[in-house]
Amino acid sequence: EKMETRPGLARNPAAPLKLAPVLPPGFLAFNANKLACYSVEFSPFTPNLLAVCASQHYGIIGNGAQFVLEQTTQGLGVVSLFETQDGLFESTWSESNESHLFSASGDGTIKLWDLSLPASQNPLRSYEEHTHEVYGLDYNLVSKDCFVSGAWDDTIKVWNPEMNASIRTYHEHKYCIYSTLWSPHSATTFGSASGDFTIKIWDTRQDMSATTIMGSAFEVLSFDWSKYKEWEIISGDVEKSVNVWDIRNLKAPALVLRGHDSAVRRVKCSPWDENVFSSVSYDMTMSLWDLADENDPLIMKMDHHTEFVLGVDFSNFDQTLLATCSWDGNVFVFQRDLGIKLG
């Protein structure tokens, strides 16, 4: 059992929490009512919808909830709520059905929800092959007919959503898998980030990984593909660094960026700008980076949460809009120019 690697267990629970900052006008907020939020993702179909995964007791024990929130002029409201017996750590929208949403669970299952049906008729399907917590989950946005999952049983699985059994299982990583993501440039390519210090790139036409990146001397918690440069990957690790990789030359990172005081929990590349990405951290902040500024790429810092920040996403419809979520139970949607500009 790999409980010792669950984020935050080493932290002193009696340590005083940071006081909640005063939010500037323009922030939309939602609180998950004593649940710790793990991920937030804007819908690829509907401009004002976003999915949020949450867990009781920081995901160590207890129930979970999959929220679907709607942005309105009054704030963020719940459109759908699906409750589970175990914590939820990641979700991904279907790229082929605007009503379908998948959740990764602490019991090793993956749930398929249909937003057009009441909660009593959900989940539509439960995919049950992983034997430990599922942390990575992503729908193929090129082929739009499959999704990939990665779990703490050290395996990766590719699924057809219409089938109960996985299409393929990969077992090369030596430790927990924290993230699995399809390339936005290829229908057959995905990547995985692991506690074994590596990022692996896979081609579903091959039985073994195509490339292994020694991503860090520490656990790699997150990575993302550039939406514009097919050779570029951004990763975040326990050692507080954000690494920019050119997969054509993997001797060392192309850039190592320092802007966090604790582990980098998630990185997300902008769908709007080839040089812009965001990172969030256990230091309770969100950073916004612009690689076009070679001298000082850290262009913005947000200090609006009071606990570990685990989720961040860019809107697919509004290039100024971002969302974050945290163990403090809060989900915020805001314009990127509301942050603290640096430099």
Side-chain angles (χ1 to χ4, degrees):
E1 179 62 35
K2 298 171 180 174
M3 288 292 290
E4 73 279 5
T5 67
R6 190 182 293 279
L9 278 186
R11 198 195 57 195
N12 177 7
L17 293 179
K18 187 173 73 176
L19 292 175
V22 177
L23 297 176
F27 267 66
L28 301 181
F30 170 80
N31 186 271
N33 190 24
K34 299 183 180 179
L35 298 179
C37 295
Y38 269 80
S39 74
V40 58
E41 185 172 328
F42 284 99
S43 166
F45 290 103
T46 310
N48 58 344
L49 288 187
L50 57 159
V52 176
C53 276
S55 300
Q56 263 188 318
H57 307 301
Y58 305 109
I60 297 167
I61 193 171
N63 301 330
Q66 175 67 67
F67 295 93
V68 178
L69 306 180
E70 181 180 27
Q71 299 165 237
T72 69
T73 53
Q74 282 73 44
L76 297 174
V78 178
V79 175
S80 298
L81 170 59
F82 305 110
E83 295 178 300
T84 56
Q85 292 185 337
D86 214 309
L88 297 180
F89 302 127
E90 185 68 284
S91 59
T92 186
W93 293 91
S94 167
E95 293 284 343
S96 59
N97 186 323
E98 64 182 15
S99 296
H100 284 182
L101 178 66
F102 299 79
S103 303
S105 175
D107 64 4
T109 67
I110 300 159
K111 307 297 186 190
L112 167 57
W113 315 101
D114 189 328
L115 276 56
S116 67
L117 297 175
S120 60
Q121 295 181 37
N122 274 284
L124 271 190
R125 200 182 289 265
S126 181
Y127 307 89
E128 303 181 352
E129 288 187 13
H130 285 297
T131 57
H132 284 282
E133 295 91 331
V134 183
Y135 255 55
L137 193 62
D138 192 42
Y139 207 93
N140 192 321
L141 73 167
V142 179
S143 69
K144 303 183 188 298
D145 61 359
C146 59
F147 64 92
V148 63
S149 61
W152 285 18
D153 59 11
D154 310 343
T155 69
I156 298 165
K157 292 179 182 286
V158 177
W159 308 79
N160 177 332
E162 303 299 323
M163 299 167 57
N164 288 327
S166 62
I167 302 169
R168 172 168 274 178
T169 299
Y170 300 92
H171 196 170
E172 276 187 36
H173 281 295
K174 306 301 183 187
Y175 207 60
C176 303
I177 295 161
Y178 292 114
S179 181
T180 48
L181 290 174
W182 291 100
S183 166
H185 311 288
S186 165
T188 61
T189 303
F190 68 88
S192 55
S194 170
D196 65 9
F197 311 164
T198 69
I199 302 162
K200 288 181 180 285
I201 298 171
W202 310 76
D203 187 320
T204 55
R205 296 166 297 185
Q206 301 175 10
D207 293 330
M208 307 291 286
S209 61
T211 304
T212 297
I213 304 169
M214 287 305 298
S216 173
F218 298 85
E219 291 186 282
V220 184
L221 300 182
S222 178
F223 81 102
D224 199 14
W225 301 85
S226 166
K227 306 301 187 288
Y228 295 90
K229 308 170 198 172
E230 61 185 56
W231 64 86
E232 188 171 273
I233 287 174
I234 315 286
S235 67
D237 60 36
V238 167
E239 207 258 326
K240 313 173 191 176
S241 63
V242 175
N243 295 320
V244 181
W245 300 92
D246 183 333
I247 60 176
R248 300 168 301 183
N249 180 10
L250 291 173
K251 292 179 181 177
L255 277 172
V256 178
L257 303 172
R258 304 283 183 177
H260 288 289
D261 297 325
S262 295
V264 178
R265 183 57 179 82
R266 194 182 299 262
V267 292
K268 188 63 70 82
C269 293
S270 168
W272 300 96
D273 188 318
E274 66 177 12
N275 292 306
V276 172
F277 70 92
S278 180
S279 58
V280 293
S281 167
Y282 294 157
D283 67 10
M284 309 184 197
T285 70
M286 184 208 84
S287 293
L288 194 67
W289 308 80
D290 187 346
L291 297 176
D293 188 338
E294 295 181 2
N295 295 322
D296 192 9
L298 180 57
I299 59 172
M300 187 183 297
K301 195 86 167 175
M302 303 286 287
D303 189 25
H304 53 298
H305 285 288
T306 59
E307 257 290 2
F308 296 170
V309 188
L310 273 67
V312 63
D313 199 20
F314 292 87
S315 168
N316 298 300
F317 293 91
D318 182 341
Q319 60 183 312
T320 69
L321 212 57
L322 283 156
T324 59
C325 71
S326 164
W327 270 11
D328 62 15
N330 288 318
V331 181
F332 295 121
V333 176
F334 51 91
Q335 304 286 333
R336 57 179 271 185
D337 60 4
L338 292 175
I340 302 168
K341 292 182 177 61
L342 304 175

